[in-house]
């Protein structure tokens, strides 16, 4: 009799007890409802697309201003951080929202601000460069549609050493200034920080396609 009792206890411990526990858990989950036990679908954080890395390069907060309905050009800005021990260069950009994307810098030509295409933007080792109004921008030429506030679109950036990476650009309203630029050059400090000129570029625009050193200077 003692031997049979011990055998029964062993069977209960090995088979019945785990089964009872499983049934209890199942009942508990059913009582709580699907929300309690379903796998959590984590939504991407609002800033998830705000910082993207490729190799030693990090791109932060890519953004553009809304454009007017008739605007054919726009501009994209962001910050570049080089965490590597060697310098790198941003050498190209492309996007589906425009027929072309070009690297530009803003130069002061006798008190007039002009936009000038450049071949590359240098990022020093362990350094930071702001692609910001008044210094650098990625010009979106021949927009396929106006850029509207809240819109998001992909932009592929190519670095000489780190390679290519696609970031998500957010179209954000700026300080309320008009996003359309004038047809010609403007005096220093008066040029809006929105889309690029719709007419022909001023004489001298694009006649120097050389890499430029990093700069965080002022201006447009």
């Amino acid at each position: 009799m003692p031997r049979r009792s011990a055998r029964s206890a062993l069977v209960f411990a090995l088979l019945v007890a785990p089964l009872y526990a499983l049934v209890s858990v199942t009942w508990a989950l059913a009582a709580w409802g699907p929300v309690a036990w379903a796998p959590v679908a984590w939504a991407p954080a609002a800033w998830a697309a705000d910082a993207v890395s490729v190799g030693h390069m990090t791109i932060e907060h890519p953004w553009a201003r809304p454009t007017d309905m008739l605007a054919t050009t726009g501009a994209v800005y962001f910050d570049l951080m080089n965490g590597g021990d060697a310098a790198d260069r941003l050498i190209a950009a492309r996007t589906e929202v425009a027929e072309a994307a070009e690297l530009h810098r803003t130069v002061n030509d006798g008190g007039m601000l002009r936009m000038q295409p450049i071949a590359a933007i240098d990022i020093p080792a362990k350094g930071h460069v702001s692609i910001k109004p008044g210094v650098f921008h990625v010009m979106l030429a021949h927009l396929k549609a106006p850029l509207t506030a809240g819109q998001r679109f992909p932009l592929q950036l190519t670095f000489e050493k780190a390679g290519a990476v696609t970031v998500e650009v957010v179209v954000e309203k700026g300080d309320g200034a008009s996003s359309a630029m004038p047809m010609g050059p403007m005096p220093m400090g008066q040029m809006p920080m929105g889309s690029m000129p719709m007419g022909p570029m001023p004489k001298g625009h694009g006649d120097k396609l050389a890499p430029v050193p990093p700069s965080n200077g002022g201006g447009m």
Side-chain angles (χ1 to χ4, degrees):
M1 191 70 178
R3 183 177 300 177
R4 181 177 300 178
S5 299
R7 186 180 302 168
S8 299
L10 180 60
V11 170
F12 180 84
L14 295 178
L15 300 177
V16 179
L19 181 60
Y20 178 78
L22 179 60
V23 171
S24 300
V25 171
T26 303
W27 285 347
L29 292 177
W32 292 339
V35 175
W37 56 267
V40 178
W42 291 104
W47 47 264
D50 217 31
V52 178
S53 296
V54 56
H56 48 267
M57 294 300 308
T58 299
I59 305 93
E60 289 190 352
H61 189 48
W63 66 281
R65 280 195 173 91
T67 60
D68 292 338
M69 292 298 295
L70 299 180
T72 60
T73 55
V76 178
Y77 310 99
F78 43 86
D79 287 324
L80 295 175
M81 271 68 65
N82 182 357
D85 295 325
D88 205 341
R89 302 198 306 163
L90 176 63
I91 58 176
R94 60 181 297 182
T95 179
E96 62 186 25
V97 302
E99 293 183 11
E102 304 173 354
L103 305 180
H104 280 215
R105 69 175 172 182
T106 304
V107 296
N108 181 5
D109 184 6
M112 297 293 181
L113 293 178
R114 301 182 187 275
M115 293 162 295
Q116 185 178 69
I118 53 178
I121 297 175
D122 295 333
I123 309 100
K126 305 295 185 183
H128 164 260
V129 175
S130 288
I131 310 303
K132 65 180 181 179
V135 187
F136 298 115
H137 59 269
V138 174
M139 190 184 86
L140 307 179
H142 305 291
L143 287 170
K144 298 177 183 179
L147 302 179
T148 58
Q151 177 184 352
R152 295 172 180 261
F153 62 88
L155 175 70
Q156 184 184 80
L157 301 174
T158 301
F159 297 90
E160 189 173 64
K161 296 177 181 176
V165 63
T166 298
V167 300
E168 185 179 54
V169 180
V170 180
V171 181
E172 302 175 346
K173 291 185 178 180
D175 54 8
S178 171
S179 62
M181 282 191 174
M183 301 290 287
M186 291 187 64
M188 189 73 171
Q190 297 184 12
M191 185 173 289
M193 299 180 291
S195 58
M196 303 300 109
M198 295 173 61
M201 301 304 296
K203 182 179 179 181
H205 180 91
D207 57 358
K208 184 179 180 182
L209 299 176
V212 296
S215 171
N216 288 320
M220 184 277 179

